[in-house]
Structures are given as C-alpha cells and as structure tokens.
Amino acid sequence: RVGQLCTPDTWLVVSGSLPGQCPPDYYGQLIGIAASRGARVVLDSSGAALKAGILAGPYAIKPNEEEFLQLTGAERFSKEALASLAHDLQRRGVRHTI
C-alpha cells in the first residue's frame, strides 16, 4: 500500500517503536519502498529499528539525545560527535539529521 500511495510529492514519516511481531528492518523496508517511488521519508525511531532504517537511506532522521548516543557510541553529546555522525549519515544517504 505504501508503494501505491507514495509519489515524488509525498512525505512519509515512520516513527515510534515497532510492535513485537515486526522485524527490526520493517521501517527500512517501508523506507525502501517509499524512496523508490520518489517520496521523502523522515525516520524517528530507536535501537535496531533506527539502525536498520538508516541503512535504507531515509531523507532525514530525528534521533533524541539518548538515541544519538547509542548511534555514535559516545558517552556525552558534543558538537564534534554530532558533526561526525551527520557526515557519516550523509555518506549513507541521509540528507538531514534533525
């Protein structure tokens, strides 16, 4: 259904925790489908769902401080760590980190 609804003019937000029966790459699958149709996808999740979703190259992600620390392995939030993460994400296809 996502593939039918998404067009280059579509924005799709995938967010929250996945239900227990969903695989960790479920958001990644949705991102891949939507992006293949030209939609821009914003990902706001955590843990394995966030990591797997990033691999699918969403247009933007919105990690909170705890999620940011998990992604970077940093012990504290810093401008340097944020810049490093944003650069790494851009290489993976994520255009914006909010």
Side-chain angles (χ1 to χ4, degrees):
R1 184 80 175 128
V2 168
Q4 294 171 338
L5 295 172
C6 287
T7 67
D9 297 330
T10 303
W11 284 82
L12 176 67
V13 176
V14 290
S15 63
S17 300
L18 291 171
Q21 66 272 22
C22 288
D25 70 338
Y26 184 72
Y27 282 156
Q29 293 175 41
L30 292 178
I31 292 165
I33 293 167
S36 74
R37 304 277 298 153
R40 292 182 177 173
V41 184
V42 178
L43 172 63
D44 181 9
S45 193
S46 62
L50 177 60
K51 288 182 180 182
I54 287 171
L55 295 176
Y59 181 78
I61 64 166
K62 194 221 60 68
N64 62 32
E65 186 173 350
E66 181 180 330
E67 295 157 353
F68 169 82
L69 294 173
Q70 289 174 356
L71 282 174
T72 62
E75 293 185 21
R76 66 178 185 82
F77 187 87
S78 69
K79 289 180 183 180
E80 295 79 17
L82 178 59
S84 177
L85 175 64
H87 181 70
D88 181 53
L89 292 171
Q90 284 180 337
R91 286 185 297 173
R92 296 181 192 196
V94 179
R95 295 182 66 187
H96 300 280
T97 301
I98 303 166

